[in-house]
Amino acid sequence: MKKSKSPYFFIAPAVALLVVFSIIPIFIAVTISFTDMSLAGLADFSRINFVGLDNYLNIFNDKVFGQAMFNTAYYVVIGVPLVIISSLALAIMINFGENKFFSFMRLVFYSPSITNTVAVSVVWMYLYNPTIGLLNHLLSYLNVGPIMWLTDPSTSKISLIIIAVWKAIGLNMLIFLAAIQGIPKEYYEAAEIDGANKWQQILKITIPLLKFSIFFVTVTTLIGWFQFFDEPFVMTKGGPLDSTLSVALFIYQRGFQYNKFGYAAAGSVILFIAIIIVTSIQMKIQTKQKENEG
């Protein structure tokens, strides 16, 4: 019996886009990472020289890159759990809320996700202003501060994390909310008959049945935080003293400000490998959980 070729025609456009905009650029970046390519090399390929592993050896000895790696790990370790916990908690509260106020809050928490990052960053820069900012003004009533939110290395990373978490929870909240609403109501009705309260229903029914959604949000959030770029670029430029410099911002600066495309490409390859490793670990954990449940 002949196999139908129709499915291949349906997926062909998506595969073509994936190859052109994802697979090929990855191979190009890997190739460039073994060269000393600069802006001059784009105009004249004869100026591009093969340097082997020099870019990788230099970048691992680069203290600024090491600081960027540390900062990115800090963003991931702090930011990812905050986003997941906050968005899940909001989704549960809004789903089990029994009046229109909770429906309105769904819009309130989702709005930051669709707001332009540059506009959000500019507003938060005014809020964080050490002299005229609203946050320090409010803290002054508690005899706290002034806090140098963006100009002190000890607080700058946390300041950016607060903004990024505030902006990210809306979309993930909707993902969790859709998953919660897909849980059959019969489960909750049966639990109520057995005498389970709302908190017990959440712990025994809602959260266990959200395992796949939590896995999906965790993976996408991890990838997003590894590529953390917008807030540091707009608000701090990686400062003060490289305390907010992320790997993504490091790659941008080396490539487009310092004209070291080969060096920047090596950094992007390292970041790509780190994302692949972390994602693979998450996939293996998810697979083992399924096997244990089976």
Side-chain angles (χ1 to χ4, degrees):
M1 185 176 180
K2 275 191 173 183
K3 291 184 178 180
S4 174
K5 295 182 180 180
S6 299
Y8 298 101
F9 288 107
F10 281 111
I11 67 171
V15 172
L17 290 173
L18 180 66
V19 170
V20 172
F21 294 105
S22 294
I23 306 300
I24 293 177
I26 289 172
F27 282 106
I28 293 174
V30 172
T31 303
I32 292 173
S33 71
F34 294 109
T35 69
D36 62 352
M37 185 175 179
S38 63
L39 192 60
L42 288 175
D44 184 2
F45 289 165
S46 64
R47 296 188 179 185
I48 301 175
N49 300 306
F50 180 78
V51 297
L53 296 174
D54 285 356
N55 286 328
Y56 291 95
L57 295 175
N58 292 333
I59 204 168
F60 279 116
N61 291 320
D62 190 335
K63 291 182 179 180
V64 178
F65 181 74
Q67 180 66 43
M69 289 286 286
F70 171 79
N71 294 341
T72 300
Y74 186 93
Y75 292 138
V76 170
V77 171
I78 303 298
V80 172
L82 283 176
V83 170
I84 296 171
I85 294 170
S86 301
S87 54
L88 179 58
L90 286 173
I92 291 173
M93 286 190 292
I94 290 172
N95 182 73
F96 290 102
E98 297 178 353
N99 55 52
K100 293 183 179 179
F101 172 77
F102 291 97
S103 298
F104 173 71
M105 293 307 293
R106 183 185 312 179
L107 174 63
V108 169
F109 285 111
Y110 180 66
S111 295
S113 299
I114 57 175
T115 306
N116 182 271
T117 303
V118 175
V120 167
S121 299
V122 170
V123 171
W124 275 90
M125 285 176 70
Y126 282 106
L127 294 176
Y128 280 145
N129 189 285
T131 55
I132 62 172
L134 177 62
L135 294 180
N136 277 348
H137 179 71
L138 295 175
L139 289 173
S140 66
Y141 291 111
L142 302 174
N143 295 321
V144 176
I147 297 175
M148 311 301 287
W149 296 98
L150 298 175
T151 55
D152 186 344
S154 63
T155 58
S156 54
K157 282 193 283 289
I158 292 294
S159 300
L160 294 184
I161 288 173
I162 291 172
I163 303 168
V165 170
W166 171 79
K167 195 173 186 306
I169 58 177
L171 179 60
N172 293 322
M173 177 197 70
L174 286 186
I175 294 172
F176 284 132
L177 193 58
I180 291 171
Q181 292 179 349
I183 298 174
K185 293 182 179 179
E186 288 80 5
Y187 293 169
Y188 297 105
E189 293 171 356
E192 285 182 4
I193 293 172
D194 290 338
N197 56 35
K198 287 289 185 182
W199 181 246
Q200 290 172 328
Q201 291 175 30
I202 291 170
L203 290 178
K204 300 297 183 181
I205 299 175
T206 306
I207 293 178
L209 292 177
L210 290 179
K211 283 184 178 179
F212 179 77
S213 299
I214 294 172
F215 165 73
F216 173 78
V217 169
T218 301
V219 171
T220 55
T221 305
L222 273 169
I223 294 172
W225 282 92
F226 267 107
Q227 298 173 336
F228 193 48
F229 174 81
D230 294 346
E231 288 80 0
F233 174 71
V234 175
M235 302 184 71
T236 63
K237 306 297 182 184
L241 302 175
D242 297 323
S243 62
T244 61
L245 183 68
S246 64
V247 174
L249 182 56
F250 174 90
I251 294 167
Y252 168 82
Q253 289 179 344
R254 268 46 187 183
F256 295 98
Q257 293 182 1
Y258 299 160
N259 193 25
K260 297 180 178 179
F261 293 148
Y263 196 71
S268 67
V269 171
I270 293 170
L271 179 61
F272 174 73
I273 292 172
I275 292 173
I276 291 296
I277 291 173
V278 173
T279 304
S280 300
I281 292 172
Q282 290 290 324
M283 295 288 288
K284 286 184 179 180
I285 293 173
Q286 179 72 6
T287 302
K288 284 184 179 180
Q289 288 180 348
K290 285 185 177 180
E291 290 175 354
N292 293 334
E293 290 174 1

